[in-house]
């Protein structure tokens, strides 16, 4: 008999505190979505693929995300539980599908947080050196990275201690309480948006309108190199700049009135981020000709050189650092809530399904991932960490859209606080758009995903399937019947 979480059943008392409102969800979402990708992906997508029409690419990617976001909103209202896509898949498609998505999301959040912490450490080093503060580079790199030469011999890093420090500090904050974390995140997001607004505002008067011609550069004969195909290839690239917003749904069980707040938080985040991305790309491609952005590792610095405001370069570094902080905060939060939900359902050891009596947070989950993520950040180079892309998040998007369709049939009469408009059109469009992006990813990315899922299936077979709370309850329910 297929094990499925019952939709509409009272949620078990998880010990999580419902303290978040719409404002907190918006700051968490914006903070987790607008990261350093804004400062790098925009230039790459414009220079190599779309030209000034990268503005259209951001809009196309936003539409694809909106399909999934609407589906998240409907399911979050029906099942306001921690765990996000894991819980939705468990309820709609069964325990095995839930495990696969949950296991996959845990990897995505963990690897993502580690990679971002390494990048954060690099930007901090650059900022500190600009202030005359120097740190031994061996303590800011992994043992696999060369940091210099002595007597003709390479000197390798020892451990990336700043990356470990920031992982530990943010984990400690998250353990202390979700409301405290949300307040700090709100401050970080304000700082980040002010700096982005400064770049846009101070850059506008120096735009050269000739840089927008041609708005859609003619295709060179190679797919994805300008023209319409270039716009679509760039949309696939910048799609990953939106992937943080889905983690909002992991705090549904800590949200007041989630049926109303979740859809607003999800779609509001997407709207704000889209406006920021389009405005930023408009100014960037207006300041610098798209041809000069091709292969540029620091496109924003190049754009700022077109203005007399040298201080903006330092401000952008501060903006990137703040961007990294809020992204890490949401990733660490998301991974702990998914792990917590899986443990609460018996698929992982029960110690991970308990909350601190006073703080109301899953401290064991935070401690576990603080150590794991910290070790990865300390000893693995960013090139290795970044190899795991967002394929798992896209897979979660697909499952969520499928879940809406399944529950529309199986639970047709169940009331929904928020209902995706257009019947099955939006879920189907979400599935297609996400699958198109997934298919475009390289084979090595798929191989890593398959290997990780295979490891997860072994753990599920040895532990999760045997200790499942739903598996224990079903025979008892059958006996009573």
């Amino acid at each position: 008999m297929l094990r499925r979480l019952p939709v509409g059943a009272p949620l078990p008392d998880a010990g999580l505190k419902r303290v978040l409102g719409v404002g907190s969800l918006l700051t968490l979402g914006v903070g987790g979505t607008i990261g350093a990708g804004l400062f790098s992906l925009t230039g790459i997508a414009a220079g190599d693929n779309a030209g000034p029409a990268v503005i259209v690419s951001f809009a196309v990617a936003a539409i694809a995300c909106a399909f999934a976001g609407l589906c998240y909103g409907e399911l979050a209202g029906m099942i306001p539980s921690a765990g996000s896509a894991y819980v939705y898949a468990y309820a709609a498609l069964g325990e095995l599908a839930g495990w696969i998505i949950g296991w996959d999301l845990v990897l995505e959040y963990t690897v993502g947080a580690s990679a971002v912490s390494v990048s954060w450490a690099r930007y901090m080093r650059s900022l500190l050196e600009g202030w005359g503060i120097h740190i031994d580079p061996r303590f800011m790199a992994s043992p696999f990275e060369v940091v210099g030469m002595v007597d003709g011999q390479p000197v390798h890093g020892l451990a990336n201690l700043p990356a470990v420090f920031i992982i530990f500090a943010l984990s400690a904050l998250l353990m202390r309480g979700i409301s405290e974390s949300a307040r700090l995140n709100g401050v970080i997001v304000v700082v980040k948006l002010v700096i982005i607004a400064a770049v846009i505002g101070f850059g506008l008067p120096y735009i050269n309108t000739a840089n927008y011609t041609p708005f859609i550069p003619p295709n060179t004969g190679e797919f994805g190199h300008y023209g319409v195909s270039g716009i679509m290839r760039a949309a696939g690239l910048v799609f990953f700049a939106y992937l943080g917003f889905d983690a909002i749904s992991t705090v549904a069980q800590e949200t007041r009135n989630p049926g109303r707040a979740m859809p607003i938080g999800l779609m509001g985040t997407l709207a704000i981020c889209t406006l920021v991305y389009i405005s930023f790309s408009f100014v960037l491609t207006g300041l610098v000709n798209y041809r000069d952005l091709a292969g540029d590792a620091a496109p924003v610095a190049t754009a700022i050189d077109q203005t007399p405001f040298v201080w903006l370069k330092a401000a952008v570094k501060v903006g990137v650092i703040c961007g990294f902080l809020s992204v890490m905060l949401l990733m660490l939060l998301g991974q702990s809530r998914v792990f917590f939900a899986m443990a609460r359902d018996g698929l992982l050891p029960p110690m991970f399904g308990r909350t601190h009596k006073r703080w109301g947070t899953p401290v064991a989950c935070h401690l576990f991932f603080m150590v794991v993520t910290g070790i990865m950040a300390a000893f693995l180079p960013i090139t290795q960490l970044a190899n795991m892309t967002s394929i798992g998040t896209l897979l979660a998007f697909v499952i969520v859209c499928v879940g809406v369709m399944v529950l529309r049939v199986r639970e047709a009469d169940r009331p929904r606080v928020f209902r995706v408009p257009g019947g099955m059109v939006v879920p189907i469009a979400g599935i297609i758009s996400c699958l198109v992006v997934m298919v475009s990813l390289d084979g090595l990315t798929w191989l890593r995903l398959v290997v990780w899922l295979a490891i997860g299936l072994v753990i599920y077979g040895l532990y999760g399937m045997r200790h499942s709370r739903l598996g224990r309850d079903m025979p008892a329910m059958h006996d009573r019947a």
Side-chain angles (χ1 to χ4, degrees):
M1 187 176 184
L2 184 64
R3 300 176 185 173
R4 286 195 299 252
L5 286 177
V7 179
L11 293 172
D13 182 13
L16 300 172
K17 298 179 179 179
R18 291 195 180 274
V19 294
L20 301 178
V22 171
S24 298
L25 293 180
L26 286 172
T27 54
L28 282 171
V30 172
T33 303
I34 299 179
L38 173 67
F39 301 101
S40 57
L41 286 180
T42 306
I44 295 170
D48 297 338
N49 303 114
V54 69
I55 298 168
V56 180
S57 300
F58 273 113
V60 170
I63 292 170
C65 286
F67 294 141
L70 288 167
C71 293
Y72 267 97
E74 178 168 325
L75 294 184
M78 292 180 67
I79 314 169
S81 171
S84 182
Y86 153 72
V87 176
Y88 308 151
Y90 199 165
L93 305 175
E95 186 172 276
L96 180 59
W99 169 270
I100 289 173
I101 290 299
W103 183 249
D104 178 65
L105 284 178
V106 164
L107 175 69
E108 291 297 318
Y109 287 135
T110 303
V111 173
S114 301
V116 173
S117 70
V118 173
S119 294
W120 177 88
R122 288 186 176 181
Y123 272 92
M124 276 301 298
R125 177 185 178 184
S126 175
L127 188 65
L128 291 175
E129 287 181 346
W131 295 341
I133 302 173
H134 299 280
I135 301 176
D136 190 333
R138 293 176 300 171
F139 297 109
M140 300 195 74
S142 78
F144 298 96
E145 295 175 284
V146 176
V147 297
M149 302 290 291
V150 175
D151 297 329
Q153 299 296 318
V155 177
H156 291 267
L158 298 175
N160 196 328
L161 297 186
V164 176
F165 165 78
I166 196 61
I167 290 293
F168 277 42
L170 292 177
S171 296
L173 176 66
L174 287 167
M175 280 186 272
R176 181 63 182 82
I178 185 69
S179 57
E180 291 83 354
S181 304
R183 280 195 290 269
L184 175 63
N185 182 71
V187 174
I188 293 172
V189 169
V190 169
V191 172
K192 177 167 54 176
L193 291 179
V194 166
I195 291 173
I196 292 172
V199 173
I200 295 171
F202 286 106
L204 275 172
Y206 298 92
I207 285 177
N208 181 2
T209 55
N211 288 332
Y212 295 124
T213 305
F215 185 70
I216 304 178
N219 184 263
T220 60
E222 177 186 351
F223 182 87
H225 199 235
Y226 306 130
V228 176
S229 67
I231 292 175
M232 297 309 296
R233 176 66 62 84
L237 177 64
V238 302
F239 185 89
F240 300 107
Y242 287 101
L243 293 183
F245 87 95
D246 74 298
I248 303 172
S249 59
T250 63
V251 295
Q253 207 161 345
E254 294 159 272
T255 302
R256 301 186 299 269
N257 193 7
R260 172 184 174 274
M262 274 292 157
I264 296 175
L266 285 162
M267 302 313 296
T269 292
L270 188 58
I272 293 171
C273 293
T274 301
L275 178 61
V276 170
Y277 287 157
I278 289 177
S279 302
F280 194 85
S281 58
F282 175 78
V283 171
L284 187 67
T285 53
L287 290 172
V288 184
N289 189 279
Y290 70 92
R291 297 180 186 87
D292 297 328
L293 291 172
D296 191 343
V300 180
T302 303
I304 292 172
D305 286 340
Q306 309 305 310
T307 77
F309 308 110
V310 180
W311 58 269
L312 267 180
K313 288 185 179 180
V316 166
K317 286 183 181 179
V318 174
V320 172
I321 289 169
C322 288
F324 281 140
L325 284 175
S326 52
V327 170
M328 280 187 285
L329 192 72
L330 192 60
M331 285 182 172
L332 292 169
L333 176 65
Q335 70 185 12
S336 67
R337 295 312 186 263
V338 172
F339 215 64
F340 169 78
M342 295 172 75
R344 187 193 58 198
D345 293 332
L347 305 184
L348 290 170
M351 62 177 291
F352 296 114
R354 302 190 185 107
T355 55
H356 191 276
K357 290 182 179 180
R358 183 157 58 93
W359 297 338
T361 58
V363 170
C365 292
H366 284 301
L367 287 173
F368 176 75
F369 283 112
M370 180 178 73
V371 174
V372 172
T373 310
I375 290 174
M376 294 176 67
F379 300 113
L380 291 180
I382 190 170
T383 51
Q384 296 298 320
L385 291 172
N387 280 336
M388 266 307 296
T389 66
S390 300
I391 188 171
T393 310
L394 287 164
L395 181 59
F397 282 9
V398 171
I399 294 298
V400 167
C401 293
V402 172
V404 168
M405 297 173 66
V406 170
L407 293 179
R408 283 283 182 92
V409 175
R410 206 176 69 230
E411 303 282 347
D413 297 328
R414 185 170 298 280
R416 288 160 169 79
V417 180
F418 171 78
R419 178 183 289 268
V420 176
M424 297 292 190
V425 174
V426 169
I428 292 174
I431 293 169
I432 293 173
S433 59
C434 292
L435 286 177
V436 166
V437 179
M438 289 179 70
V439 170
S440 70
L441 298 173
D442 62 87
L444 191 57
T445 297
W446 280 93
L447 178 61
R448 292 191 189 99
L449 177 67
V450 171
V451 170
W452 176 253
L453 294 182
I455 295 171
L457 288 175
V458 171
I459 295 175
Y460 173 70
L462 294 177
Y463 185 91
M465 189 166 60
R466 299 169 182 266
H467 295 82
S468 166
R469 177 174 57 84
L470 199 59
R472 294 194 305 268
D473 293 345
M474 286 177 68
M477 293 169 61
H478 178 74
D479 292 341
R480 285 195 297 271

